[in-house]
Amino acid sequence: MAYEPKQDQLVLDKEEAAMRQTHLAILAHESGDLDAAVTLAGAADGMLPENPTQNIFGRLRDDPAMAQLDRKDWIQVINWERDWLKHPTPQLPPTVTITALDAGFMIIRAMTKLPKWSDKMFAFKDWYMIAMTQPDTPEQKEP
């Protein structure tokens, strides 16, 4: 079978690249490729500056309720799936279970940095808000 890319190059600015990666993360999430969703959304999240009025990561990171935790440890908790997929992590278990909500959180994180959302992003946010409130959904059950 022959391989041929659809295009030879792609010119993007950071916002366009983050938007595309977030869209691809949603498509990966939808198809069950949760590891790819986390990786793509994590990349998109890291590309753009924080939006002080919407950035969910910044709010969690700086939450006064978490003041008793070491800041570095708290950030590791927030980023653990992304970091497990992206870096050597001998301090973490050799296998990981990524739930739809875990991957969804990373996608929402990326979306909060984008200045505008597509219809697909609004639909994803609607799914995520409902999924978060249903504790008996399969992706939240312990194995």
Side-chain angles (χ1 to χ4, degrees):
M1 177 157 76
Y3 173 81
E4 188 65 37
K6 289 192 177 206
Q7 58 189 41
D8 292 332
Q9 64 180 356
L10 180 62
V11 178
L12 302 164
D13 63 29
K14 290 280 191 175
E15 186 178 311
E16 291 169 320
M19 178 74 88
R20 288 173 50 88
Q21 287 178 337
T22 303
H23 267 285
L24 289 169
I26 292 170
L27 293 175
H29 188 277
E30 194 170 44
S31 69
D33 296 318
L34 302 178
D35 56 333
V38 168
T39 302
L40 286 162
D45 176 63
M47 293 178 73
L48 297 176
E50 290 187 14
N51 179 338
T53 62
Q54 292 185 344
N55 183 2
I56 193 169
F57 175 74
R59 286 187 199 169
L60 283 172
R61 181 195 61 216
D62 301 333
D63 188 335
M66 299 303 143
Q68 74 275 12
L69 298 175
D70 176 74
R71 184 179 172 92
K72 184 178 176 185
D73 291 342
W74 177 227
I75 290 171
Q76 286 177 343
V77 167
I78 296 170
N79 288 332
W80 84 267
E81 293 95 351
R82 184 205 65 182
D83 290 349
W84 191 94
L85 290 163
K86 183 178 175 185
H87 303 291
T89 52
Q91 76 282 10
L92 296 176
T95 60
V96 66
T97 299
I98 301 170
T99 68
L101 282 176
D102 294 335
F105 172 72
M106 186 60 74
I107 293 168
I108 292 293
R109 246 175 85 169
M111 287 170 50
T112 64
K113 287 190 173 181
L114 295 170
K116 58 185 180 242
W117 289 4
S118 67
D119 290 342
K120 187 83 164 175
M121 290 177 184
F122 280 107
F124 182 83
K125 181 201 70 132
D126 291 344
W127 168 84
Y128 187 77
M129 297 305 291
I130 291 168
M132 278 186 16
T133 62
Q134 298 177 350
D136 294 325
T137 58
E139 60 267 8
Q140 290 180 332
K141 290 183 180 173
E142 291 296 318

